[in-house]
Amino acid sequence: ITYNTQLHFYNLNPNLTQPAMMVQPDMSEVFVPVVDGFLVTVDEAQAHLKTLMELIPSLHGAEKKAESILLPAIQAGCAALKAANRPGKVIMFHSGLPTAAGPGQLKNREDKKLLNTDKEATLLVPADPLYEKVARECVDAGVAVDMFLFPHSYVDLATIGKIPGATG
């Protein structure tokens, strides 16, 4: 899965001549458009994986959107493993605050005026309980989520960190 303000699923079924991308623009109800060809072994889809790794920069390299989602991508990864009746791991690489409209949208809460005051602790409380709910759903499905963050500015780790913290 790749994502910006939409989810991009890739069908890596070895019977296809090349990987196929499916786009899910509606983030209100995340679903997995295809299970067969989505979860594949490296051995059976090695050629398609190589092609996809070469295609991704050209498909998304010119992307100029500053906003992105995060929570729907995690939900999609969990849903895919659940649909396949498999436990597993979702590995996320993310670089900013998820400010795009949709579930899990966050606002910048960084306020230097709160530092060294009684209200500083409010910055350490999750801003959206939906992240904790999704974390519980992942745990129930046997899905661990690892996140690698590469922020260039504020990222609400108190909120998004609930998912990898709860799922292990």
Side-chain angles (χ1 to χ4, degrees):
I1 300 172
T2 56
Y3 59 97
N4 48 28
T5 57
Q6 303 173 330
L7 293 171
H8 316 113
F9 294 88
Y10 300 93
N11 187 341
L12 301 174
N13 188 318
N15 296 326
L16 298 174
T17 57
Q18 66 179 22
M21 180 172 76
M22 293 151 282
V23 178
Q24 187 178 97
D26 182 12
M27 297 300 103
S28 62
E29 288 197 42
V30 174
F31 66 94
V32 180
V34 62
V35 175
D36 183 44
F38 181 64
L39 298 174
V40 294
T41 66
V42 173
D43 290 337
E44 70 185 4
Q46 189 168 18
H48 283 342
L49 283 168
K50 184 176 187 227
T51 301
L52 183 60
M53 292 299 110
E54 293 168 355
L55 281 174
I56 285 176
S58 63
L59 290 171
H60 305 293
E63 188 66 46
K64 300 293 182 207
K65 293 179 184 177
E67 295 184 321
S68 72
I69 57 170
L70 175 63
L71 197 61
I74 295 169
Q75 289 173 307
C78 184
L81 289 164
K82 194 172 180 181
N85 200 26
R86 297 182 187 177
K89 182 177 283 204
V90 173
I91 302 172
M92 303 292 301
F93 296 90
H94 195 76
S95 64
L97 189 66
T99 57
Q105 178 182 19
L106 297 174
K107 294 181 178 153
N108 189 333
R109 301 188 299 158
E110 184 177 44
D111 187 352
K112 293 183 181 186
K113 294 175 196 164
L114 297 179
L115 297 178
N116 297 319
T117 69
D118 293 343
K119 293 186 179 184
E120 182 178 8
T122 63
L123 299 175
L124 304 175
V125 176
D128 187 344
L130 189 54
Y131 282 82
E132 292 179 84
K133 179 180 181 269
V134 170
R136 284 190 303 275
E137 291 170 2
C138 289
V139 168
D140 291 345
V143 176
V145 179
D146 286 350
M147 282 190 194
F148 296 88
L149 301 175
F150 305 93
H152 50 83
S153 61
Y154 173 78
V155 135
D156 190 348
L157 197 54
T159 302
I160 65 176
K162 286 294 182 184
I163 294 177
T167 63

